[in-house]
Amino acid sequence: MSKILVLYYSSYGHVEIMARAQAEGAARIPGVQVSVKRVPELMSLEAATAAGYKLDQPAPIADPEELADYDAILFGTPTRFGNMASQMRNFLDRTGPLWARGALVGKIGSTFCCTASQHGGQETTLTSFHTTLLHHGMIVVGLPYTFKDLMTLREVTGGTPYGASSITGTGSEARMPSALELDMCRFQGEHVARIAAQFTAGGSHA
Ligand SMILES: Cc1cc2nc3c(=O)[nH]c(=O)nc-3n(C[C@H](O)[C@H](O)[C@H](O)COP(=O)(O)O)c2cc1C
């Protein structure tokens, strides 16, 4: 059995919904055990409330040490100035002890994100995230073009070969992740879980 973790941060609920879709996709693979967890909030309750953050998120808070227990980890973050959110960065910066003993070497890592605007830095968020995964010796998996709607022009949508993404818009154009964006999350989750199951069947990394 392979164990998959969907680990996310979300201020306003977009990445939270994407994380659930990733988990749904991963659960399509027989024999896979999927968990959804989030990283801790760094803002004070007062500041987060004032900023309108979605505070009722049922996913439990992860501890950095537990990443070693999974065969594959799907990381989800909102984009902040073209990079991952500081809450996710801070969590990753607490994985030094895992790095020191090579605890994530040979595990699968994959990323997804959300931006406000179409060209607001999805690719930079995802590919810069990969750098950290590679330092950990993880095997980076993206979102292949066998998800045919990566090429679509029929609607405004997120979607990159580096990982699933969604666009929130703003004001009167604000939206939650679209059906298409959630489909691509499910596709990515299933893709990662299938690879993890193949790895588990073939023997774990030495
Ligand atoms: C400080 C800050 C920086 C942001 N930087 C970007 C950005 O560089 N590009 C962009 O398109 N959206 C940016 N956004 C919008 C967020 O990416 C968007 O609110 C987020 O993806 C929504 O996801 P969530 O609901 O899971 O928090 C930024 C938001 C904040 C608060």
Side-chain angles (χ1 to χ4, degrees):
M1 184 190 68
S2 46
K3 292 179 69 180
I4 313 284
L5 174 64
V6 183
L7 180 67
Y8 77 92
Y9 172 73
S10 180
S11 296
Y12 300 106
H14 298 80
V15 177
E16 179 189 29
I17 290 175
M18 296 173 78
R20 297 278 166 202
Q22 293 273 359
E24 283 170 26
R28 289 173 179 162
I29 302 299
V32 162
Q33 183 184 312
V34 190
S35 304
V36 179
K37 297 198 176 187
R38 60 195 170 104
V39 305
E41 182 54 78
L42 296 179
M43 294 261 271
S44 68
L45 181 59
E46 189 181 29
T49 303
Y53 281 16
K54 182 176 184 292
L55 299 173
D56 59 329
Q57 298 187 34
I61 302 286
D63 182 272
E65 274 297 311
E66 73 180 88
L67 299 192
D69 298 338
Y70 297 92
D71 301 297
I73 307 167
L74 287 138
F75 298 88
T77 178
T79 290
R80 295 278 186 266
F81 306 117
N83 276 286
M84 71 175 80
S86 59
Q87 289 83 351
M88 180 61 78
R89 183 71 259 163
N90 179 264
F91 185 91
L92 293 172
D93 287 353
R94 293 165 55 209
T95 60
L98 294 175
W99 170 84
R101 59 178 200 272
L104 303 185
V105 172
K107 295 180 184 293
I108 295 162
S110 196
T111 60
F112 58 99
C113 77
C114 179
T115 59
S117 58
Q118 279 187 73
H119 307 291
Q122 296 183 348
E123 286 93 341
T124 54
T125 302
L126 296 170
T127 57
S128 60
F129 204 134
H130 291 166
T131 304
T132 298
L133 305 189
L134 290 167
H135 274 255
H136 269 296
M138 298 184 85
I139 301 164
V140 173
V141 171
L143 173 64
Y145 279 98
T146 43
F147 182 75
K148 295 296 180 200
D149 276 337
L150 267 190
M151 300 285 282
T152 192
L153 291 179
R154 73 175 178 277
E155 66 181 66
V156 174
T157 181
T160 85
Y162 316 110
S165 56
S166 72
I167 304 164
T168 71
T170 54
S172 64
E173 295 180 323
R175 69 183 200 189
M176 294 310 282
S178 68
L180 173 53
E181 290 165 342
L182 294 177
D183 267 355
M184 78 178 69
C185 287
R186 290 186 196 96
F187 191 100
Q188 182 178 356
E190 182 176 355
H191 177 61
V192 165
R194 183 177 296 108
I195 294 170
Q198 286 165 355
F199 268 56
T200 308
S204 60
H205 182 86

